[in-house]
Structures are given as structure tokens and as C-alpha cells.
Amino acid sequence: MNFCDFIKEARLRNHITQQALAHTLGVSRTAVSNWESGRRTPDVKRIIDLFAALNITEKDIESTEHISLNQNLVDFNLSCLNAKGLSRLYDFYFDLIQDEENIK
């Protein structure tokens, strides 16, 4: 499954409009549209925000065999992440965000 399909499916499953998701994330509706169409890929921090906004859990990620990212669009130069890799990425950034909050 493409990453763009994964987030669109999650958004629709949660009955959230592109505009509402954009507002929650502090981005434009066009940005959300670009992510869902595969024209752009959100940065890693934004992916974690997407997971939270769309109620995507680690279990959801693990149930997805493979989530592909277009290498040309990804700032951190990963051509694809399998469910385990995406889960590890989620854990890493969740821990990082928690650490930042604890420092404040």
C-alpha cells in the first residue's frame, strides 16, 4: 500500500475532511491533498502528527504489510518502510517528542 493511500484511507475511516485535517495539523488543505495524491510526502515530524490526528496506532501500522514512499519526494531518503520500520520510526519520534516535553 502506498503511504498516500494509507493516510487517505485512515482519514476517510475517521470521517475527517481534508480541510479539518489540515486545520488540525496547521497546514493547508492543498498540502493534505498533495500527500494523499503522492505529489508530496510530509516530513517525519508531520507523519507522527498525522498518526495522532488520524488515530493511527502501532497496531494499524503493523497490520499493513508494506507502506511505500516515493524516494523522489522524501526528504530523509527512504524509498520505502515496511510496517516494522514505520513502527520503529513512530516509536522513535514519539519518544523524542516526550523527551522534549519533559525538558520544558
Side-chain angles (χ1 to χ4, degrees), residues 65-101:
E65 286 183 29
H66 195 258
I67 301 172
S68 299
L69 299 171
N70 182 334
Q71 187 172 8
N72 295 329
L73 299 176
V74 181
D75 293 335
F76 47 97
N77 293 324
L78 294 176
S79 61
C80 64
L81 293 174
N82 61 21
K84 187 174 182 178
L86 194 54
S87 178
R88 286 180 179 170
L89 179 67
Y90 180 85
D91 289 344
F92 173 76
Y93 278 94
F94 181 77
D95 290 345
L96 184 64
I97 290 167
Q98 292 297 335
D99 289 345
E100 287 177 2
E101 290 176 1

Side-chain angles (χ1 to χ4, degrees), residues 16-55:
I16 300 172
T17 64
Q18 286 183 340
Q19 186 63 45
L21 180 58
H23 178 74
T24 298
L25 298 173
V27 299
S28 69
R29 188 208 54 81
T30 303
V32 173
S33 176
N34 284 336
W35 299 338
E36 290 184 358
S37 68
R39 287 187 295 271
R40 301 249 188 253
T41 303
D43 61 33
V44 175
K45 168 71 170 80
R46 190 72 67 202
I47 290 172
I48 304 307
D49 294 341
L50 271 170
F51 289 165
L54 297 174
N55 301 309

